[in-house]
Amino acid sequence: MAKKIFLVDDDQNTCQLMRRILEKEGYVADSCSDPLKAVQSAQKFKPDLLVLDILMPKMDGTELARRFSETPGFNTPMVFLSVLVNQSGVCNVPQPISCLAKPFTPEDLINKVREIIGAP
């Protein structure tokens, strides 16, 4: 069965782009553009990886990552997607979570996903 990736970004176009890239590669992807609904939606989807934008209204990605981490039985790896990534590939956030710079290329996204969860 293909690995599942759940995307959270307030920009629906970014979500659609990432879904197309990942699905073309053989992953199963779902997304949510409202961080307030993301935890519940992700729990139903049961992903192998979460990709979270950092800069979102209502709740930023670091707070969302904290909520995911505090959810009982939810131990899914996470990647931050953000313009806050420096040239070393490190996010300027307190959590030790892998980061992907925004904007990204399809190859950047696929390479980061494979680095964390492997091939579909």
Side-chain angles (χ1 to χ4, degrees):
M1 177 166 234
K3 293 183 180 163
K4 297 164 61 172
I5 302 165
F6 192 77
L7 315 160
V8 184
D9 193 313
D10 59 301
D11 181 354
Q12 291 182 355
N13 292 328
T14 301
C15 285
Q16 289 175 349
L17 174 64
M18 287 190 294
R19 284 179 74 167
R20 282 195 304 267
I21 292 167
L22 294 165
E23 289 171 351
K24 182 179 178 187
E25 201 64 28
Y27 295 96
V28 175
D30 196 6
S31 62
C32 182
S33 58
D34 184 348
L36 298 177
K37 297 178 182 176
V39 174
Q40 183 178 11
S41 296
Q43 284 179 305
K44 290 177 185 175
F45 185 64
K46 299 182 185 341
D48 297 295
L49 177 66
L50 295 165
V51 179
L52 311 175
D53 187 20
I54 293 179
L55 299 176
M56 295 184 287
K58 301 180 189 176
M59 180 189 317
D60 71 16
T62 59
E63 173 62 19
L64 183 56
R66 186 187 64 74
R67 289 190 184 188
F68 275 116
S69 296
E70 292 174 352
T71 302
F74 203 85
N75 190 21
T76 303
M78 293 180 250
V79 173
F80 281 137
L81 175 67
S82 182
V83 295
L84 301 177
V85 178
N86 67 26
Q87 291 189 356
S88 301
V90 176
C91 294
N92 185 21
V93 295
Q95 286 116 325
I97 294 175
S98 186
C99 300
L100 177 62
K102 193 180 194 182
F104 57 89
T105 66
E107 294 81 18
D108 293 337
L109 177 61
I110 295 302
N111 289 339
K112 182 58 76 174
V113 168
R114 284 187 175 163
E115 172 187 316
I116 297 170
I117 63 170

